[in-house]
Amino acid sequence: MTPLIVLVGPPGSGKSTVGALLAARLGCAYRDTDADIVARAGKPIADIFVDEGEPHFRELERQAVREAVAGHPGVLALGGGAIMDDGTRALLAGLPVVFLDVELADAVRRVGLDAPRPLLAVNPRRRWRELMEQRRPLYTEVSRAVVATDGRTPEDVAQAVLDALELKPA
């Protein structure tokens, strides 16, 4: 039992919104590994970073991704940094992964870079660019398709994902 679709991308790319739309169109469940981590830890991700540090969060993330990839037959969205882990990238090999690509201006408009995102706390625009320089090649490496989200509605992005994977709605 593996996911029908796995969405990867940076904050503001639309993984949560598009993932929910895709699940509704395909008649399946939607799951977000960040939500799994929050539920398991009993606190927001920003608090995990502050209280236990990024290495602890990344271990929780590895566990959440491993469990979701092994047991979720629907649409799965991964946290923006999940692909930084070699083991996670290996788990995604052969799966229908789609990279939702977004430019900084759209990401800022969608989520605002003042939201509680621990890795973007200081100089968020510069940090977002730095993260994308590190992550873009990895997002591309694990993905079967790349869908640009700039200037598109979530509905248009969802349709582009279905088209890219050649999936038909339920």
Side-chain angles (χ1 to χ4, degrees), residues 1-20:
M1 203 169 34
T2 60
L4 281 174
I5 301 171
V6 180
L7 299 175
V8 298
S13 61
K15 297 180 303 285
S16 298
T17 303
V18 171

Side-chain angles (χ1 to χ4, degrees), residues 3-10 13-23 26 30-34 65 69 72 74-83 88 92 95-101 139 142-147 149 154 157-162 164-165 167:
L4 281 174
I5 301 171
V6 180
L7 299 175
V8 298
S13 61
K15 297 180 303 285
S16 298
T17 303
V18 171
L21 284 170
L22 286 165
L26 294 168
Y30 168 70
R31 185 169 178 176
D32 181 323
T33 58
D34 279 352
V65 171
V69 166
H72 182 69
V75 177
L76 176 63
L78 303 188
I83 48 83
T88 295
L92 297 176
L95 294 180
V97 179
V98 177
F99 167 26
L100 297 184
D101 198 2
Y139 289 137
V142 301
S143 298
R144 191 175 293 175
V146 177
V147 173
T149 64
V157 173
Q159 187 59 53
V161 169
L162 293 174
L165 295 177
L167 293 173

Side-chain angles (χ1 to χ4, degrees), residues 95-154:
L95 294 180
V97 179
V98 177
F99 167 26
L100 297 184
D101 198 2
V102 63
E103 294 301 322
L104 176 61
D106 271 19
V108 168
R109 187 174 45 77
R110 290 179 187 163
V111 296
L113 291 182
D114 58 349
R117 297 183 184 274
L119 292 181
L120 300 176
V122 178
N123 197 342
R125 284 178 170 76
R126 187 184 81 218
R127 186 67 182 128
W128 193 91
R129 283 190 197 94
E130 290 168 354
L131 287 174
M132 283 305 293
E133 285 175 20
Q134 295 170 344
R135 295 176 180 181
R136 187 177 302 278
L138 301 175
Y139 289 137
T140 304
E141 172 190 320
V142 301
S143 298
R144 191 175 293 175
V146 177
V147 173
T149 64
D150 297 313
R152 297 170 108 169
T153 66

Side-chain angles (χ1 to χ4, degrees), residues 30-71:
Y30 168 70
R31 185 169 178 176
D32 181 323
T33 58
D34 279 352
D36 292 349
I37 294 165
V38 168
R40 176 172 284 161
K43 57 182 154 183
I45 289 171
D47 290 353
I48 298 169
F49 267 76
V50 169
D51 296 344
E52 285 92 19
E54 184 176 0
H56 179 72
F57 170 76
R58 295 298 174 198
E59 180 53 37
L60 294 175
E61 186 173 55
R62 277 189 287 281
Q63 292 171 8
V65 171
R66 194 169 35 252
E67 291 169 11
V69 166

